[in-house]
Amino acid sequence: MNMFIKSTLIVLTAMTSNFSLANNISPDFLLNEIDISYKKYVNSSPEVGIYAMESVIRLQESDRSSELLHKTGPASLALSYLRLGLLYEKLDFTKKADNVFYKAVNSYKSQVTDSENVSLIELKKFVVGLDASIAANKKTNKAR
């Protein structure tokens, strides 16, 4: 019984320290993680991309301070959800994709605008266009 209590205390201490660390994310760290996850989303298999997007979403959800929102932009979490949903769609995980798309729309509404209705189709078009634009800019910069 004594060993069980010690084990429980160790687990609780580890969880508490992880939560406190998550609430002290620096904007530069988060931007770097977003960049890494985006590269995995674009260049890796859908499974690796899903893992990367899920990781960065956990980070974004753990700290929504005004400093981070200012640095990453208010739609960053919604875009991460959308990209995760697109990866789920590629793998025909329709139920998971629908769940994540719902979170994307709600996140966008709560962070960007609460008075304007935005549709999933509009957000999908936006993120696909944004990704195409980023890819085109990278090709242009490599050609120079």
Side-chain angles (χ1 to χ4, degrees):
M1 181 72 168
N2 196 15
M3 186 58 127
F4 175 74
I5 293 172
K6 285 181 182 178
S7 306
T8 305
L9 286 175
I10 291 171
V11 169
L12 286 174
T13 303
M15 287 174 54
T16 304
S17 66
N18 284 340
F19 287 132
S20 65
L21 284 175
N23 289 329
N24 292 320
I25 297 171
S26 76
D28 292 332
F29 172 78
L30 183 56
L31 287 172
N32 186 51
E33 292 300 308
I34 290 171
D35 186 50
I36 290 169
S37 66
Y38 178 77
K39 288 177 183 172
K40 297 293 182 189
Y41 161 77
V42 170
N43 299 318
S44 299
S45 68
E47 293 84 3
V48 171
I50 286 171
Y51 180 78
M53 295 311 299
E54 286 174 342
S55 295
V56 80
I57 287 169
R58 278 192 298 275
L59 283 173
Q60 290 173 306
E61 287 177 335
S62 72
D63 189 346
R64 294 186 186 181
S65 66
S66 61
E67 182 183 5
L68 285 177
L69 287 175
H70 177 71
K71 194 86 166 187
T72 62
S76 180
L77 179 59
L79 296 178
S80 295
Y81 277 129
L82 276 165
R83 289 179 174 125
L84 178 60
L86 292 172
L87 290 170
Y88 281 142
E89 274 188 338
K90 277 186 184 179
L91 296 176
D92 290 327
F93 295 154
T94 308
K95 199 170 210 169
K96 285 184 176 185
D98 290 344
N99 184 30
V100 172
F101 287 143
Y102 176 78
K103 289 180 180 181
V105 170
N106 284 334
S107 174
Y108 185 84
K109 284 181 182 178
S110 68
Q111 293 296 321
V112 178
T113 177
D114 58 354
S115 61
E116 179 183 323
N117 282 333
V118 63
S119 72
L120 178 58
I121 293 170
E122 291 171 316
L123 288 177
K124 277 184 176 182
K125 285 181 184 178
F126 175 74
V127 80
V128 168
L130 181 63
D131 291 345
S133 176
I134 291 169
N137 285 339
K138 286 183 179 185
K139 285 181 183 180
T140 303
N141 288 338
K142 283 184 182 182
R144 289 181 185 178

